[in-house]
């Protein structure tokens, strides 16, 4: 072996050793997080814990008194003193918020080193404006409730939220908490890279708001933008810009409720020549089982949506949908596990 080849081998070995050392140091520097969770989020919590050896699940006894008010007990309260603690919440309805807030307000006061609230879906985010005097902007109300979480020994509470409806809502939170706004879009881009004919994929936005919210995160794809125009008493979806002809068009938005807008967008895109249409939303709210209007009925007819991707930010929806086509669940577990190390 020549001297140059020997030197190259030595250099490669040294580089590999340094990479291994850096990985070990990085792993050792990770903090151990004790993760509590509400009942709805048990499956997601277990998936988060499976992503990292540095996350330990903790439990709470969720009980009620005869009058219906919560009777709660935090297990291992003494053992979490001086530890990093997080709580995984789901404010899926007003009925479950009080019991969770009761726990959330207590955990930082148990002499923990730090406290993080993970609230994947901020449920009142779309009620952020006042259009006339008397409107109640409940997004601000919810932000005030969260902002009053007591500080822990380590300082203000970190609040992890995914794809909040409007980015300006960050200013609704007071300085007592530190909001961390994450996004589920990387899960979508990873999934799109696994599809055939990626060069035929176009991203569509149902309105200008969705375009402003997400287009910079998806700038590797051509885009189509729809818009709503008023015709008499109706609001009609129209194609504003872009050409979907012959392409697989993926409609992207932060959340879905009844799904009416997505269905109207699909019709417009198909009428303009889209080869197939799919949809992605971070938060599949789907009140009153409105997701059923999207399922494939196996009746032999061509289905409107090839894929419908959601995350597990709304656990009750995930449980209801199961594996019914065209739905696929892209889990936030890995992203949340990473966020808990920030």
């Amino acid at each position: 072996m020549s001297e140059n080849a020997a030197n190259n081998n030595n250099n490669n070995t040294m580089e590999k050793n340094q990479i291994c050392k850096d990985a070990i140091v990085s792993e050792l520097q990770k903090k151990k997080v004790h993760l509590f969770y509400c009942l709805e989020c048990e499956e997601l919590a277990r998936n988060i814990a499976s992503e990292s050896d540095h996350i330990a699940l903790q439990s709470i006894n969720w009980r009620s008194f005869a009058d219906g008010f919560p009777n709660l007990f935090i297990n291992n309260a003494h053992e979490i003193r001086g530890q990093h603690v997080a709580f995984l919440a789901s404010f899926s309805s007003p009925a479950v918020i009080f019991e969770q807030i009761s726990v959330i307000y207590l955990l930082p006061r148990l002499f923990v080193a730090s406290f993080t609230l993970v609230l994947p879906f901020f449920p009142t985010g779309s009620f952020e404006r006042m259009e006339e005097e008397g409107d109640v902007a409940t997004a601000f109300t919810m932000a005030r409730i969260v902002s009053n979480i007591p500080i822990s020994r380590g300082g203000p509470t970190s609040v992890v939220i995914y794809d909040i409806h409007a980015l300006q809502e960050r200013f609704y939170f007071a300085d007592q908490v530190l909001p961390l706004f994450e996004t589920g879009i990387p899960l979508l881009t990873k999934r799109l890279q696994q599809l055939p004919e990626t060069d035929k994929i176009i991203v569509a936005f149902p309105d200008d708001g969705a375009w402003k919210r997400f287009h910079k995160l998806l700038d590797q794809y051509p885009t189509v933008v729809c818009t709503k125009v008023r015709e008499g008493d109706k609001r009609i979806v129209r194609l504003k810009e872009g050409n979907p002809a012959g392409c697989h068009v993926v409609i992207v938005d932060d959340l879905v409720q009844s799904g009416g807008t997505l269905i109207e967008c699909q019709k417009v895109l198909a009428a303009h020549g889209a080869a197939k249409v799919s949809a992605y939303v971070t938060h599949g709210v789907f009140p009153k089982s409105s997701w059923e209007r999207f399922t494939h009925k196996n009746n032999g007819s061509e289905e409107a949506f090839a894929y419908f991707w959601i995350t597990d930010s709304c656990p009750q929806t995930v449980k209801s949908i199961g594996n019914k086509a065209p739905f696929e669940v892209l889990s936030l577990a890995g992203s949340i596990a990473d966020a808990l190390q920030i």
Side-chain angles (χ1 to χ4, degrees), residues 20-65:
C20 290
K21 289 179 181 178
D22 291 344
I24 293 172
V25 170
S26 176
E27 194 69 16
L28 291 173
Q29 289 176 340
K30 287 185 177 180
K31 59 187 179 185
K32 183 171 183 178
V33 178
H34 296 264
L35 179 62
F36 293 87
Y37 53 90
C38 67
L39 290 175
E40 287 181 24
C41 289
E42 181 174 358
E43 182 176 355
L44 176 56
R46 294 189 182 283
N47 290 338
I48 294 169
S50 69
E51 293 284 339
S52 171
D53 293 334
H54 298 274
I55 297 175
L57 291 184
Q58 300 293 340
S59 63
I60 296 169
N61 295 339
W62 301 91
R63 302 165 299 191
S64 298
F65 291 108

Side-chain angles (χ1 to χ4, degrees), residues 120-136:
F121 175 46
F122 189 74
T124 58
S126 56
F127 306 103
E128 85 284 11
R129 294 189 300 270
M130 290 181 62
E131 296 183 355
E132 62 177 314
E133 192 66 30
D135 282 342
V136 179

Side-chain angles (χ1 to χ4, degrees), residues 153-197:
R153 292 177 65 185
T157 293
S158 300
V159 182
V160 181
I161 299 173
Y162 281 80
D163 290 319
I164 198 166
H165 184 66
L167 287 177
Q168 63 266 27
E169 291 177 49
R170 69 176 62 232
F171 303 112
Y172 293 179
F173 295 87
D175 292 340
Q176 291 95 320
V177 296
L178 300 173
L180 175 62
F181 296 107
E182 296 283 12
T183 179
I185 294 298
L187 300 176
L188 171 63
T189 55
K190 181 179 179 180
R191 183 67 182 92
L192 293 181
Q193 292 167 3
Q194 298 169 351
L195 298 178
E197 297 185 306

Side-chain angles (χ1 to χ4, degrees), residues 183-237:
T183 179
I185 294 298
L187 300 176
L188 171 63
T189 55
K190 181 179 179 180
R191 183 67 182 92
L192 293 181
Q193 292 167 3
Q194 298 169 351
L195 298 178
E197 297 185 306
T198 55
D199 58 320
K200 293 289 185 69
I201 293 175
I202 287 181
V203 171
F205 302 103
D207 52 40
D208 288 330
W211 178 84
K212 291 176 183 177
R213 185 74 178 78
F214 294 118
H215 81 278
K216 290 184 179 179
L217 300 175
L218 294 160
D219 59 1
Q220 67 269 45
Y221 296 103
T223 59
V224 168
V225 182
C226 296
T227 188
K228 293 179 181 178
V229 297
R230 186 171 295 280
E231 290 187 359
D233 295 333
K234 297 181 179 180
R235 288 174 65 85
I236 308 298
V237 175

